[in-house]
């Protein structure tokens, strides 16, 4: 089964390029395109794609609001959204992640990273461009969260603390498995446990919590 994707970008040449790149990847199919956020939300609600790939800066409804409409905390059956932008220090990135985005990429990321991000989002995972992870979360750490970080439902185990630190540094599951000398399934179970204990919806929120609690 192919991963079904909706692409939204107000620049036709970018939208066409992203669609061509994704359609050339095995196991990925673009099922809809939109030139603005409002149309993107309508398309996504109608087609229920596996992943939405949204530009941040779009007319009418920007990528953040579109993301919140489809993946926000109040959405019953959220869709997976990956945000893509030209600016690696975009002031909207953090807002997009808070709105429920499952990934953040730069438009110069390349076909491999784009494919990885789509696959990660479809698998319920999250991928942030490694080049911006540390800086993005570092900025968040300096400015601080809008509200105090939640207290874990249960105390984290030592191993969970180790996994937490690697997630916060933007490591993938495979990299975490190699670094901590544990199996991929063990990594996944630790991340699931962290999400449950922290009330986090994805690894992006796990990383944010790590920074908010000054663990990184």
């Amino acid at each position: 089964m192919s991963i079904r994707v909706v692409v939204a970008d107000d620049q036709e040449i970018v939208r066409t390029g992203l669609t061509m790149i994704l359609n050339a990847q095995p196991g990925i199919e673009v099922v809809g395109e939109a030139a603005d956020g409002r149309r993107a939300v309508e398309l996504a609600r109608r087609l229920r794609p596996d992943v939405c790939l949204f530009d941040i800066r779009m007319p009418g409804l920007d990528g953040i609001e579109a993301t919140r409409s489809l993946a926000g905390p109040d959405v019953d059956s959220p869709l997976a959204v990956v945000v893509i932008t030209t600016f690696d220090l975009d002031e909207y990135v953090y807002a997009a992640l808070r709105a429920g985005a499952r990934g953040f990429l730069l438009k110069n990321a390349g076909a491999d990273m784009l494919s990885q991000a789509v696959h990660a989002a479809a698998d319920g995972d999250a991928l942030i461009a490694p080049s911006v992870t540390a800086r993005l979360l570092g900025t968040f750490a300096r400015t601080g969260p809008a509200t105090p970080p939640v207290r874990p439902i249960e105390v984290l185990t030592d191993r969970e603390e180790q996994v937490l630190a690697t997630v916060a540094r933007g490591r993938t599951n495979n990299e975490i498995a190699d670094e901590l000398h544990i199996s991929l399934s063990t990594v996944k179970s630790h991340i699931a446990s962290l999400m449950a204990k922290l009330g986090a919806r994805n690894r992006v929120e796990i990383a944010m919590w790590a920074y908010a609690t000054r663990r990184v």
Side-chain angles (χ1 to χ4, degrees):
M1 282 288 288
S2 285
I3 297 170
R4 298 164 65 253
V5 181
V6 164
V7 173
D9 194 298
D10 61 330
Q11 293 179 286
E12 186 178 359
I13 193 164
V14 174
R15 199 168 63 247
T16 304
L18 290 169
T19 298
M20 286 173 66
I21 290 170
L22 289 172
N23 280 336
Q25 305 296 317
I28 297 178
E29 178 194 5
V30 175
V31 294
E33 295 179 44
D36 65 76
R38 198 159 272 117
R39 170 82 176 133
V41 171
E42 287 169 6
L43 256 185
R45 283 183 174 150
R46 182 161 56 82
L47 298 174
R48 299 294 298 176
D50 302 301
V51 179
C52 301
L53 184 66
F54 289 171
D55 183 25
I56 282 187
R57 295 184 172 178
M58 293 189 286
L61 196 69
D62 66 26
I64 294 167
E65 288 306 320
T67 299
R68 191 173 289 116
S69 298
L70 297 170
D74 303 327
V75 178
D76 283 342
S77 50
L79 290 172
V81 180
V82 174
V83 169
I84 188 162
T85 180
T86 313
F87 309 101
D88 66 346
L89 283 180
D90 201 308
E91 66 272 22
Y92 302 133
V93 173
Y94 176 62
L97 296 175
R98 290 305 295 169
R102 259 196 217 161
F104 165 69
L105 281 185
L106 302 180
K107 287 183 181 174
N108 65 0
D112 286 349
M113 186 67 78
L114 188 60
S115 174
Q116 277 181 49
V118 167
H119 278 282
D123 289 342
D125 214 337
L127 186 147
I128 305 177
S131 61
V132 299
T133 303
R135 238 175 21 218
L136 170 72
L137 292 169
T139 301
F140 164 63
R142 285 195 302 278
T143 56
T147 53
V150 297
R151 293 180 69 84
I153 293 167
E154 291 176 50
V155 176
L156 304 188
T157 64
D158 289 345
R159 182 60 96 185
E160 284 168 353
E161 290 279 5
Q162 290 175 335
V163 172
L164 176 74
T166 57
V167 169
R169 291 200 301 274
R171 301 287 191 268
T172 65
N173 284 356
N174 283 320
E175 288 168 344
I176 295 169
D178 289 344
E179 192 173 319
L180 299 181
H181 308 294
I182 55 180
S183 70
L184 196 55
S185 59
T186 303
V187 174
K188 289 179 178 176
S189 66
H190 282 312
I191 288 174
S193 178
L194 282 167
M195 283 167 63
K197 287 184 178 182
L198 304 177
R201 290 172 300 171
N202 53 50
R203 69 198 297 128
V204 176
E205 293 189 355
I206 292 173
M208 287 177 172
W209 187 86
Y211 274 83
T213 53
R214 300 289 188 268
R215 277 168 160 78
V216 183

